[in-house]
Amino acid sequence: MITKRNHPRRRQLADPAGTVSGTGAGALVGGEATRVAPAGPAAPVATGVPPGSRSAGELRDIQAAFNAARLGMAVVGRDGRVVSANHTLGAMLGTDPALLSDESAADLVDLGDDSRIWNAYLAVLRGRDEPLRCARCLKGPDGRPLWTEVTVAPLPESGRVLLSVADVSERRDLQARLRHLQMHDPVTRLPNRALFFERLTAALTPDPYDRGGTGRIGLCYLDLDGFKAINDTLGHRVGDELLRAVAQRLVQCADELGHGRRGGHLVARLGGDEFAVLVEDSTGTEQLAALAGSVLAALQRPFDLAGQRLSVSASIGVVERVAAGTTATGLVQAADTTLYWAKADGKARWTLFDPERNAHRMTRQALSSMLRPAVERGEFTLDYQPLVGLGDGALRGVEALVRWRHPQFGTLAPNRFIGVAEEDGSIVELGRWVLENACRQARRWQLDHPAAPPLFVSVNVAVRQVWDSDLVADVAGILKETGLPPELLQLELTESAVMGSAGRPLQALQALSDMGVAIAIDDFGTGYSNLAYLSRLPVSVLKLDGSFVRGFRDVEHPNPADETIVEALVQLAHRLGLTVTAECVESAEQAERLRNVGCDTGQGWLYSRPVPPEHIAALLNSVAGSAPGPTPGAAPGPGPSSDPGPGPGPHPGPGPSAGHGPGVDQRHGAPGSTSGPAPTPAPEG
């Protein structure tokens, strides 16, 4: 039996004339008043056809069709009450159709809970021709939800309306199953990327009625380390089993720590071996850190799959921030960037998003997009730092050091952009420009100062220049164009680049040496230090890294180990026919001790900082072939204690070869006191 709900606003419905009408228990059937029986067959259908226009047989056929229809139907009067209903509608509602007469149609199919549906329903009752269609969830006879599609349409010529109710539960269940398949990963059964972004977007959408949340959101974005190797060696079947096992442990970790509001945490597989754990209403970075630590510990336990024990680890990027103002794309991008940091930092760890580190990354990207046009616009210049003989103090050569005179950010030292240039390949174009201009300047000094001993120019070369360009042809062409003799050109490569040379790089170095160009190993002692290579590579100069030279600073408490190592390296180099240059020479005491152990040349603040080419020209004018003394062409550096530039030692970089290329100075004064700051975009979060 359907319990009638009393809605005050539905007790009286005004007809178009403004009067209240009602049928009570009676209904018009074929133009005659008929009393509805309290029980029994369905009430005769009200056709709304004028009396005498249909025969008794036609009326019986209409009544039979009405009762036999598989669609639940009811004729509703202008007052919103049921005039007659068929058997299907009674079965849907679990009652005799005759008992539905005089019931509120809106109550039967729940049209009053939504104000928009209610207003549209009233409009149809008042004569609007456009029918109402909506989906409603009713309570079926068995107590389970009954999803229906309700239509309320006017009946022509009668002023009444026809209520039809279609059972769409099966269709809705099918749609739900299809959506589940569409929104879940078939391997792990976890939500997929589409559902993840749907939930994330919803979590970031402000809810004016929700005052109990923290207003924050967190995300752990993780990637399995070495999963591709497992797939390639053991097959995709084992790989899929591993993914399923990983998914189970992730869900267990999230459930045990109770993350998410109302149990709404989300563990999703985003594709491949990438997973995400979304934490809504997070309480701070400590909560996300605890989750990331739990996940790492869970995944480091061995997996027993297909008769094999597998060990894997994961790298996790962690982001936690205020939800307001955060976009789904921005949050995932920040998490992905942080995941990359975790990979770069050594894998098997979690890393928290750092706005400053991200600003540095964005700066590198900005500089990368500006590098190639900057070469064409002539924004780069070269400074030169003297290389002085330790025995006689004579100026032997100069090292070319590139600077970027950025129109917006000021002067940028090479350690700001050389690593970026090596990554995006613009180092080849920039390196060719440095080589050409350095050779042209050295030739100009030679022509302008014939009385002075000719200076050699030393140019840094990145290993990518050897691989990605025809370095031998470039050098030969530049020497021919500028007229610089090959013996006045020295090319510097890092130890890690030279020691790993084989194939094309080794052939290129040999061809350059045969041409007469000197090859120097820069920062010797910081890389492989494979002494066996020295006898096989066409190397003529070793440049000792400043970390060795710094051990010669303290005169009162010298480091015997540093002095012993340097002396042994110098003796070995001399036995092999190589000369030795000491970098980062800051004091006369250092120079004296380096001279005593046999170093040939020195470079550093004691002699000069990197200076423009006209300073070198002025020096050549003043000496006119004589030894320049300790301060060639520039005021001697005051030393690191009073210098505004960087301290001694190599600039930080991602690896031995990073930051080494055309004009990368790793001696004192490399950035120089005029170096401007790199652009710093606003940090995220």
Side-chain angles (χ1 to χ4, degrees):
M1 183 70 180
I2 299 296
T3 302
K4 178 178 178 180
R5 293 177 295 175
N6 293 321
H7 294 265
R9 60 180 175 179
R10 302 180 207 153
R11 290 174 183 169
Q12 292 184 336
L13 297 176
D15 61 15
T19 60
V20 177
S21 61
T23 58
L28 289 177
V29 180
E32 298 179 0
T34 305
R35 177 64 57 182
V36 180
V45 61
T47 63
V49 179
S53 61
R54 294 190 183 278
S55 64
E58 290 176 328
L59 292 177
R60 285 193 299 271
D61 292 340
I62 293 174
Q63 184 71 51
F66 180 76
N67 290 327
R70 300 185 61 184
L71 187 69
M73 292 187 293
V75 176
V76 180
R78 298 284 293 276
D79 60 353
R81 297 188 177 277
V82 175
V83 175
S84 59
N86 68 354
H87 293 290
T88 304
L89 182 61
M92 285 183 177
L93 301 179
T95 187
D96 192 299
L99 299 178
L100 297 177
S101 296
D102 205 34
E103 291 285 343
S104 170
D107 288 346
L108 296 179
V109 291
D110 199 20
L111 298 181
D113 290 344
D114 189 306
S115 60
R116 291 173 299 177
I117 295 177
W118 174 251
N119 291 329
Y121 173 63
L122 292 181
V124 176
L125 291 180
R126 290 166 181 163
R128 190 185 70 175
D129 292 337
E130 184 179 354
L132 163 67
R133 291 185 177 86
C134 61
R136 308 306 294 164
C137 183
L138 308 179
K139 186 177 181 180
D142 54 1
R144 292 186 296 181
L146 176 67
W147 284 97
T148 62
E149 187 175 90
V150 177
T151 303
V152 182
L155 287 173
E157 302 179 6
S158 74
R160 293 171 175 168
V161 298
L162 179 65
L163 170 70
S164 57
V165 183
D167 184 353
V168 295
S169 298
E170 292 186 1
R171 184 176 68 186
R172 190 175 181 88
D173 290 343
L174 177 60
Q175 290 174 342
R177 289 194 297 270
L178 291 176
R179 173 176 166 79
H180 186 275
L181 293 175
Q182 182 184 12
M183 294 294 186
H184 287 74
D185 171 54
V187 175
T188 63
R189 307 300 182 189
L190 291 177
N192 61 12
R193 177 179 290 269
L195 182 54
F196 170 79
F197 272 96
E198 182 180 288
R199 280 282 303 274
L200 176 58
T201 302
L204 294 174
T205 302
D207 185 354
Y209 300 102
D210 187 0
R211 304 297 184 185
T214 64
R216 303 185 66 86
I217 193 163
L219 177 61
C220 288
Y221 195 98
L222 66 99
D223 177 274
L224 299 182
D225 301 325
F227 177 74
K228 184 178 184 302
I230 295 177
N231 249 353
D232 293 343
T233 56
L234 301 179
H236 289 275
R237 184 180 64 83
V238 176
D240 289 348
E241 291 184 12
L242 177 60
L243 291 176
R244 282 190 286 269
V246 167
Q248 292 174 1
R249 293 191 184 181
L250 290 178
V251 172
Q252 182 180 6
C253 288
D255 289 344
E256 287 178 352
L257 294 179
H259 294 289
R261 60 179 182 183
R262 308 183 194 95
H265 68 275
L266 184 71
V267 180
R269 182 191 178 198
L270 303 185
D273 58 343
E274 293 184 355
F275 296 84
V277 182
L278 177 64
V279 180
E280 300 180 45
D281 286 330
S282 57
T283 58
T285 55
E286 295 81 4
Q287 183 186 24
L288 271 295
L291 173 60
S294 175
V295 168
L296 279 181
L299 296 184
Q300 286 174 350
R301 298 196 306 268
F303 292 86
D304 293 318
L305 302 172
Q308 302 188 61
R309 171 159 288 195
L310 303 178
S311 296
V312 297
S313 62
S315 300
I316 307 176
V318 179
V319 181
E320 200 278 340
R321 58 178 55 165
V322 176
T326 300
T327 64
T329 302
L331 185 68
V332 173
Q333 183 177 4
D336 187 43
T337 298
T338 313
L339 170 61
Y340 171 79
W341 295 343
K343 291 277 189 183
D345 292 344
K347 302 181 180 180
R349 67 193 63 216
W350 62 268
T351 301
L352 185 65
F353 179 78
D354 182 1
E356 292 185 5
R357 187 172 180 179
N358 188 59
H360 177 69
R361 177 187 65 86
M362 295 175 65
T363 298
R364 289 174 64 88
Q365 291 178 347
L367 293 178
S368 177
S369 65
M370 303 175 189
L371 266 170
R372 295 181 191 273
V375 177
E376 300 173 359
R377 291 193 297 262
E379 295 178 4
F380 292 95
T381 60
L382 292 179
D383 287 346
Y384 298 88
Q385 187 171 32
L387 290 93
V388 178
L390 290 175
D392 55 8
L395 180 62
R396 301 294 177 81
V398 294
E399 181 178 357
L401 303 170
V402 67
R403 303 287 189 262
W404 187 355
R405 311 291 182 185
H406 198 285
Q408 181 180 358
F409 307 122
T411 301
L412 302 181
N415 64 313
R416 294 287 186 90
F417 58 85
I418 290 298
V420 178
E422 289 183 346
E423 291 177 4
D424 66 10
S426 59
I427 191 69
V428 174
E429 184 179 356
L430 177 59
R432 189 180 293 113
W433 180 90
V434 171
L435 181 63
E436 179 180 351
N437 284 270
C439 290
R440 182 172 287 108
Q441 182 61 64
R443 177 58 174 166
R444 185 176 300 116
W445 286 326
Q446 184 185 26
L447 295 177
D448 293 346
H449 307 280
L455 300 179
F456 72 86
V457 63
S458 187
V459 178
N460 291 277
V461 176
V463 67
R464 187 162 182 174
Q465 290 178 257
V466 185
W467 281 106
D468 294 358
S469 68
D470 193 343
L471 182 61
V472 177
D474 287 345
V475 171
I478 290 172
L479 291 177
K480 181 178 180 181
E481 179 184 350
T482 60
L484 183 70
E487 60 270 15
L488 295 183
L489 175 63
Q490 175 176 287
L491 299 180
E492 297 185 20
L493 287 89
T494 57
E495 179 187 349
S496 56
V498 175
M499 292 304 179
S501 296
R504 181 177 175 181
L506 180 58
Q507 296 171 5
L509 295 179
Q510 187 62 58
L512 291 169
S513 179
D514 295 342
M515 192 186 301
V517 176
I519 305 297
I521 299 179
D522 197 11
D523 303 327
F524 186 77
T526 60
Y528 299 103
S529 299
N530 190 336
L531 302 179
Y533 272 90
L534 295 179
S535 62
R536 296 196 293 269
L537 289 172
V539 176
S540 55
V541 179
L542 294 184
K543 299 190 72 173
L544 296 181
D545 183 68
S547 59
F548 292 110
V549 179
R550 281 195 295 273
F552 286 73
R553 283 183 188 171
D554 195 340
V555 179
E556 297 181 0
H557 305 284
N559 188 333
D562 283 346
E563 190 164 338
T564 302
I565 293 173
V566 171
E567 185 176 5
L569 290 175
V570 171
Q571 292 178 359
L572 174 63
H574 287 169
R575 295 287 296 271
L576 294 174
L578 310 179
T579 60
V580 180
T581 297
E583 302 173 350
C584 300
V585 181
E586 298 177 354
S587 66
E589 291 81 5
Q590 276 182 308
E592 178 66 23
R593 295 176 64 192
L594 289 167
R595 180 167 55 251
N596 291 338
V597 298
C599 282
D600 301 290
T601 55
Q603 178 182 3
W605 286 355
L606 172 64
Y607 305 106
S608 176
R609 301 170 185 270
V611 294
E614 54 267 21
H615 287 239
I616 303 297
L619 173 63
L620 293 175
N621 281 330
S622 64
V623 299
S626 62
T631 56
S641 61
S642 60
D643 178 64
H651 300 296
S657 63
H660 185 92
V664 176
D665 179 29
Q666 300 202 354
R667 271 62 63 192
H668 285 297
S673 59
T674 59
S675 296
T680 304
E684 295 187 33

